[in-house]
Amino acid sequence: MRRTAYYLSFIFFVLFLSGCVAQKPIPSVKGHEKVFENEDIYILLALHLEQSHNFKEAAVVFADLYKETSKKEYIYRSLKNEIISNQNKKAIETIDALSADHKGDFELMRIKVMALMRGEEFLEAKEVALKLSKQTNSVDDYLLVAETYIKLQEFE
């Protein structure tokens, strides 16, 4: 009886280990690795559009790159291009949609503050900047808060 329990325990243990070994690791893509065949071509197109000051189209291409690869640098670039092309509300809507999936993404919060400031929504920009600076304790984020106070002419 004891021997049977020992063998059953051993078999379950071996099956457990083989189940762990058989699992494939989740692939992670580094920033320099291509996710799809023509990724480089799209990057070059987006960069060319930026150099040509066609920021609205560059934002679209970078957004498409993000959808295909999920690489954050593409969405950051897309949002910044939207802000440059005065599509502040669109940038804010995109950030708000992304924030549910990317909680704690401080770069998204910084870009949102920039979009709010460009859209002259200084009170909301101040709220987001204060929240950001409390979480990061970064000098740059404190400067962002200071900029909102200056725009609101709150010097005290």
PDB file of all heavy atoms in Angstrom, residues 96-119:
ATOM      1  N   ASP A  96      -6.296  58.284 -23.073  1.00  0.00           N
ATOM      2  CA  ASP A  96      -7.298  57.802 -22.127  1.00  0.00           C
ATOM      3  C   ASP A  96      -7.691  56.351 -22.431  1.00  0.00           C
ATOM      4  O   ASP A  96      -7.872  55.554 -21.512  1.00  0.00           O
ATOM      5  CB  ASP A  96      -8.534  58.705 -22.144  1.00  0.00           C
ATOM      6  CG  ASP A  96      -8.266  60.063 -21.510  1.00  0.00           C
ATOM      7  OD1 ASP A  96      -7.262  60.187 -20.767  1.00  0.00           O
ATOM      8  OD2 ASP A  96      -9.053  60.997 -21.759  1.00  0.00           O
ATOM      9  N   ALA A  97      -7.782  56.006 -23.709  1.00  0.00           N
ATOM     10  CA  ALA A  97      -8.106  54.629 -24.089  1.00  0.00           C
ATOM     11  C   ALA A  97      -6.968  53.673 -23.717  1.00  0.00           C
ATOM     12  O   ALA A  97      -7.210  52.545 -23.279  1.00  0.00           O
ATOM     13  CB  ALA A  97      -8.402  54.548 -25.585  1.00  0.00           C
ATOM     14  N   LEU A  98      -5.735  54.131 -23.884  1.00  0.00           N
ATOM     15  CA  LEU A  98      -4.567  53.293 -23.570  1.00  0.00           C
ATOM     16  C   LEU A  98      -4.319  53.175 -22.067  1.00  0.00           C
ATOM     17  O   LEU A  98      -3.742  52.194 -21.612  1.00  0.00           O
ATOM     18  CB  LEU A  98      -3.311  53.865 -24.229  1.00  0.00           C
ATOM     19  CG  LEU A  98      -3.204  53.738 -25.731  1.00  0.00           C
ATOM     20  CD1 LEU A  98      -2.045  54.570 -26.244  1.00  0.00           C
ATOM     21  CD2 LEU A  98      -3.033  52.290 -26.137  1.00  0.00           C
ATOM     22  N   SER A  99      -4.730  54.170 -21.320  1.00  0.00           N
ATOM     23  CA  SER A  99      -4.422  54.208 -19.885  1.00  0.00           C
ATOM     24  C   SER A  99      -4.986  53.016 -19.125  1.00  0.00           C
ATOM     25  O   SER A  99      -4.410  52.585 -18.128  1.00  0.00           O
ATOM     26  CB  SER A  99      -4.936  55.503 -19.265  1.00  0.00           C
ATOM     27  OG  SER A  99      -4.190  56.576 -19.766  1.00  0.00           O
ATOM     28  N   ALA A 100      -6.098  52.471 -19.582  1.00  0.00           N
ATOM     29  CA  ALA A 100      -6.672  51.303 -18.909  1.00  0.00           C
ATOM     30  C   ALA A 100      -5.713  50.116 -18.982  1.00  0.00           C
ATOM     31  O   ALA A 100      -5.565  49.368 -18.015  1.00  0.00           O
ATOM     32  CB  ALA A 100      -8.017  50.945 -19.536  1.00  0.00           C
ATOM     33  N   ASP A 101      -5.043  49.958 -20.118  1.00  0.00           N
ATOM     34  CA  ASP A 101      -4.120  48.838 -20.299  1.00  0.00           C
ATOM     35  C   ASP A 101      -2.706  49.142 -19.809  1.00  0.00           C
ATOM     36  O   ASP A 101      -1.929  48.236 -19.555  1.00  0.00           O
ATOM     37  CB  ASP A 101      -4.048  48.444 -21.779  1.00  0.00           C
ATOM     38  CG  ASP A 101      -5.365  47.923 -22.306  1.00  0.00           C
ATOM     39  OD1 ASP A 101      -6.159  47.401 -21.492  1.00  0.00           O
ATOM     40  OD2 ASP A 101      -5.613  48.034 -23.518  1.00  0.00           O
ATOM     41  N   HIS A 102      -2.370  50.424 -19.711  1.00  0.00           N
ATOM     42  CA  HIS A 102      -0.998  50.817 -19.376  1.00  0.00           C
ATOM     43  C   HIS A 102      -0.963  51.683 -18.127  1.00  0.00           C
ATOM     44  O   HIS A 102      -0.393  52.772 -18.132  1.00  0.00           O
ATOM     45  CB  HIS A 102      -0.368  51.573 -20.546  1.00  0.00           C
ATOM     46  CG  HIS A 102      -0.303  50.800 -21.818  1.00  0.00           C
ATOM     47  ND1 HIS A 102       0.608  49.795 -22.027  1.00  0.00           N
ATOM     48  CD2 HIS A 102      -1.056  50.860 -22.941  1.00  0.00           C
ATOM     49  CE1 HIS A 102       0.427  49.279 -23.225  1.00  0.00           C
ATOM     50  NE2 HIS A 102      -0.581  49.910 -23.795  1.00  0.00           N
ATOM     51  N   LYS A 103      -1.571  51.190 -17.064  1.00  0.00           N
ATOM     52  CA  LYS A 103      -1.539  51.947 -15.806  1.00  0.00           C
ATOM     53  C   LYS A 103      -0.094  52.098 -15.343  1.00  0.00           C
ATOM     54  O   LYS A 103       0.706  51.189 -15.454  1.00  0.00           O
ATOM     55  CB  LYS A 103      -2.355  51.229 -14.739  1.00  0.00           C
ATOM     56  CG  LYS A 103      -3.852  51.278 -14.988  1.00  0.00           C
ATOM     57  CD  LYS A 103      -4.598  50.823 -13.757  1.00  0.00           C
ATOM     58  CE  LYS A 103      -6.068  50.716 -14.005  1.00  0.00           C
ATOM     59  NZ  LYS A 103      -6.763  51.944 -14.176  1.00  0.00           N
ATOM     60  N   GLY A 104       0.209  53.275 -14.847  1.00  0.00           N
ATOM     61  CA  GLY A 104       1.568  53.515 -14.374  1.00  0.00           C
ATOM     62  C   GLY A 104       2.546  53.854 -15.477  1.00  0.00           C
ATOM     63  O   GLY A 104       3.750  53.895 -15.243  1.00  0.00           O
ATOM     64  N   ASP A 105       2.054  54.103 -16.695  1.00  0.00           N
ATOM     65  CA  ASP A 105       2.928  54.498 -17.794  1.00  0.00           C
ATOM     66  C   ASP A 105       3.134  56.009 -17.693  1.00  0.00           C
ATOM     67  O   ASP A 105       2.294  56.795 -18.126  1.00  0.00           O
ATOM     68  CB  ASP A 105       2.311  54.113 -19.139  1.00  0.00           C
ATOM     69  CG  ASP A 105       3.268  54.299 -20.295  1.00  0.00           C
ATOM     70  OD1 ASP A 105       4.150  55.176 -20.213  1.00  0.00           O
ATOM     71  OD2 ASP A 105       3.135  53.567 -21.294  1.00  0.00           O
ATOM     72  N   PHE A 106       4.253  56.399 -17.100  1.00  0.00           N
ATOM     73  CA  PHE A 106       4.505  57.802 -16.826  1.00  0.00           C
ATOM     74  C   PHE A 106       4.710  58.606 -18.104  1.00  0.00           C
ATOM     75  O   PHE A 106       4.364  59.785 -18.161  1.00  0.00           O
ATOM     76  CB  PHE A 106       5.701  57.955 -15.889  1.00  0.00           C
ATOM     77  CG  PHE A 106       5.506  57.252 -14.572  1.00  0.00           C
ATOM     78  CD1 PHE A 106       6.486  56.423 -14.054  1.00  0.00           C
ATOM     79  CD2 PHE A 106       4.331  57.409 -13.857  1.00  0.00           C
ATOM     80  CE1 PHE A 106       6.300  55.775 -12.846  1.00  0.00           C
ATOM     81  CE2 PHE A 106       4.133  56.760 -12.641  1.00  0.00           C
ATOM     82  CZ  PHE A 106       5.118  55.936 -12.139  1.00  0.00           C
ATOM     83  N   GLU A 107       5.257  57.988 -19.124  1.00  0.00           N
ATOM     84  CA  GLU A 107       5.464  58.704 -20.387  1.00  0.00           C
ATOM     85  C   GLU A 107       4.123  59.093 -21.011  1.00  0.00           C
ATOM     86  O   GLU A 107       3.977  60.194 -21.536  1.00  0.00           O
ATOM     87  CB  GLU A 107       6.290  57.853 -21.360  1.00  0.00           C
ATOM     88  CG  GLU A 107       6.684  58.586 -22.627  1.00  0.00           C
ATOM     89  CD  GLU A 107       7.589  59.793 -22.389  1.00  0.00           C
ATOM     90  OE1 GLU A 107       8.267  59.862 -21.351  1.00  0.00           O
ATOM     91  OE2 GLU A 107       7.604  60.677 -23.265  1.00  0.00           O
ATOM     92  N   LEU A 108       3.135  58.206 -20.930  1.00  0.00           N
ATOM     93  CA  LEU A 108       1.796  58.545 -21.425  1.00  0.00           C
ATOM     94  C   LEU A 108       1.220  59.727 -20.654  1.00  0.00           C
ATOM     95  O   LEU A 108       0.582  60.607 -21.238  1.00  0.00           O
ATOM     96  CB  LEU A 108       0.847  57.347 -21.303  1.00  0.00           C
ATOM     97  CG  LEU A 108       0.862  56.315 -22.413  1.00  0.00           C
ATOM     98  CD1 LEU A 108      -0.139  55.203 -22.138  1.00  0.00           C
ATOM     99  CD2 LEU A 108       0.602  56.928 -23.767  1.00  0.00           C
ATOM    100  N   MET A 109       1.444  59.740 -19.357  1.00  0.00           N
ATOM    101  CA  MET A 109       0.945  60.853 -18.540  1.00  0.00           C
ATOM    102  C   MET A 109       1.631  62.166 -18.935  1.00  0.00           C
ATOM    103  O   MET A 109       0.981  63.211 -19.016  1.00  0.00           O
ATOM    104  CB  MET A 109       1.152  60.565 -17.055  1.00  0.00           C
ATOM    105  CG  MET A 109       0.271  59.447 -16.529  1.00  0.00           C
ATOM    106  SD  MET A 109       0.614  59.010 -14.801  1.00  0.00           S
ATOM    107  CE  MET A 109      -0.145  60.395 -13.948  1.00  0.00           C
ATOM    108  N   ARG A 110       2.932  62.117 -19.188  1.00  0.00           N
ATOM    109  CA  ARG A 110       3.652  63.327 -19.603  1.00  0.00           C
ATOM    110  C   ARG A 110       3.128  63.843 -20.938  1.00  0.00           C
ATOM    111  O   ARG A 110       2.932  65.059 -21.115  1.00  0.00           O
ATOM    112  CB  ARG A 110       5.154  63.027 -19.721  1.00  0.00           C
ATOM    113  CG  ARG A 110       5.840  62.820 -18.411  1.00  0.00           C
ATOM    114  CD  ARG A 110       7.335  62.556 -18.571  1.00  0.00           C
ATOM    115  NE  ARG A 110       7.869  62.120 -17.308  1.00  0.00           N
ATOM    116  CZ  ARG A 110       8.163  60.839 -16.996  1.00  0.00           C
ATOM    117  NH1 ARG A 110       8.023  59.882 -17.899  1.00  0.00           N
ATOM    118  NH2 ARG A 110       8.621  60.532 -15.813  1.00  0.00           N
ATOM    119  N   ILE A 111       2.893  62.929 -21.860  1.00  0.00           N
ATOM    120  CA  ILE A 111       2.382  63.327 -23.167  1.00  0.00           C
ATOM    121  C   ILE A 111       0.974  63.907 -23.020  1.00  0.00           C
ATOM    122  O   ILE A 111       0.625  64.887 -23.697  1.00  0.00           O
ATOM    123  CB  ILE A 111       2.403  62.131 -24.148  1.00  0.00           C
ATOM    124  CG1 ILE A 111       3.853  61.701 -24.417  1.00  0.00           C
ATOM    125  CG2 ILE A 111       1.711  62.488 -25.458  1.00  0.00           C
ATOM    126  CD1 ILE A 111       3.992  60.391 -25.167  1.00  0.00           C
ATOM    127  N   LYS A 112       0.181  63.358 -22.106  1.00  0.00           N
ATOM    128  CA  LYS A 112      -1.164  63.893 -21.876  1.00  0.00           C
ATOM    129  C   LYS A 112      -1.079  65.323 -21.346  1.00  0.00           C
ATOM    130  O   LYS A 112      -1.847  66.192 -21.768  1.00  0.00           O
ATOM    131  CB  LYS A 112      -1.940  63.015 -20.903  1.00  0.00           C
ATOM    132  CG  LYS A 112      -3.371  63.483 -20.703  1.00  0.00           C
ATOM    133  CD  LYS A 112      -4.186  62.529 -19.868  1.00  0.00           C
ATOM    134  CE  LYS A 112      -5.630  63.000 -19.759  1.00  0.00           C
ATOM    135  NZ  LYS A 112      -6.462  62.046 -19.022  1.00  0.00           N
ATOM    136  N   VAL A 113      -0.150  65.580 -20.438  1.00  0.00           N
ATOM    137  CA  VAL A 113       0.023  66.938 -19.917  1.00  0.00           C
ATOM    138  C   VAL A 113       0.374  67.893 -21.065  1.00  0.00           C
ATOM    139  O   VAL A 113      -0.181  68.989 -21.171  1.00  0.00           O
ATOM    140  CB  VAL A 113       1.091  66.991 -18.801  1.00  0.00           C
ATOM    141  CG1 VAL A 113       1.417  68.425 -18.412  1.00  0.00           C
ATOM    142  CG2 VAL A 113       0.635  66.200 -17.593  1.00  0.00           C
ATOM    143  N   MET A 114       1.275  67.460 -21.958  1.00  0.00           N
ATOM    144  CA  MET A 114       1.653  68.305 -23.097  1.00  0.00           C
ATOM    145  C   MET A 114       0.441  68.585 -23.984  1.00  0.00           C
ATOM    146  O   MET A 114       0.240  69.715 -24.429  1.00  0.00           O
ATOM    147  CB  MET A 114       2.766  67.637 -23.913  1.00  0.00           C
ATOM    148  CG  MET A 114       4.103  67.607 -23.211  1.00  0.00           C
ATOM    149  SD  MET A 114       5.472  67.041 -24.251  1.00  0.00           S
ATOM    150  CE  MET A 114       4.979  65.387 -24.689  1.00  0.00           C
ATOM    151  N   ALA A 115      -0.376  67.559 -24.241  1.00  0.00           N
ATOM    152  CA  ALA A 115      -1.559  67.737 -25.088  1.00  0.00           C
ATOM    153  C   ALA A 115      -2.564  68.675 -24.430  1.00  0.00           C
ATOM    154  O   ALA A 115      -3.151  69.539 -25.100  1.00  0.00           O
ATOM    155  CB  ALA A 115      -2.207  66.380 -25.375  1.00  0.00           C
ATOM    156  N   LEU A 116      -2.750  68.522 -23.130  1.00  0.00           N
ATOM    157  CA  LEU A 116      -3.677  69.403 -22.413  1.00  0.00           C
ATOM    158  C   LEU A 116      -3.179  70.847 -22.430  1.00  0.00           C
ATOM    159  O   LEU A 116      -3.971  71.790 -22.592  1.00  0.00           O
ATOM    160  CB  LEU A 116      -3.870  68.913 -20.977  1.00  0.00           C
ATOM    161  CG  LEU A 116      -4.660  67.611 -20.821  1.00  0.00           C
ATOM    162  CD1 LEU A 116      -4.490  67.038 -19.414  1.00  0.00           C
ATOM    163  CD2 LEU A 116      -6.133  67.840 -21.140  1.00  0.00           C
ATOM    164  N   MET A 117      -1.889  71.034 -22.275  1.00  0.00           N
ATOM    165  CA  MET A 117      -1.320  72.380 -22.299  1.00  0.00           C
ATOM    166  C   MET A 117      -1.474  73.004 -23.687  1.00  0.00           C
ATOM    167  O   MET A 117      -1.855  74.173 -23.792  1.00  0.00           O
ATOM    168  CB  MET A 117       0.161  72.342 -21.900  1.00  0.00           C
ATOM    169  CG  MET A 117       0.424  71.832 -20.508  1.00  0.00           C
ATOM    170  SD  MET A 117       0.452  73.088 -19.260  1.00  0.00           S
ATOM    171  CE  MET A 117       1.926  73.956 -19.640  1.00  0.00           C
ATOM    172  N   ARG A 118      -1.206  72.218 -24.721  1.00  0.00           N
ATOM    173  CA  ARG A 118      -1.369  72.743 -26.091  1.00  0.00           C
ATOM    174  C   ARG A 118      -2.826  73.087 -26.380  1.00  0.00           C
ATOM    175  O   ARG A 118      -3.108  73.997 -27.140  1.00  0.00           O
ATOM    176  CB  ARG A 118      -0.883  71.729 -27.121  1.00  0.00           C
ATOM    177  CG  ARG A 118       0.602  71.569 -27.280  1.00  0.00           C
ATOM    178  CD  ARG A 118       1.296  72.702 -28.017  1.00  0.00           C
ATOM    179  NE  ARG A 118       0.849  72.943 -29.353  1.00  0.00           N
ATOM    180  CZ  ARG A 118       1.483  72.609 -30.452  1.00  0.00           C
ATOM    181  NH1 ARG A 118       2.613  71.958 -30.372  1.00  0.00           N
ATOM    182  NH2 ARG A 118       1.001  72.908 -31.631  1.00  0.00           N
ATOM    183  N   GLY A 119      -3.741  72.333 -25.777  1.00  0.00           N
ATOM    184  CA  GLY A 119      -5.165  72.602 -25.946  1.00  0.00           C
ATOM    185  C   GLY A 119      -5.693  73.637 -24.969  1.00  0.00           C
ATOM    186  O   GLY A 119      -6.901  73.861 -24.897  1.00  0.00           O
TER     187      GLY A 119
END
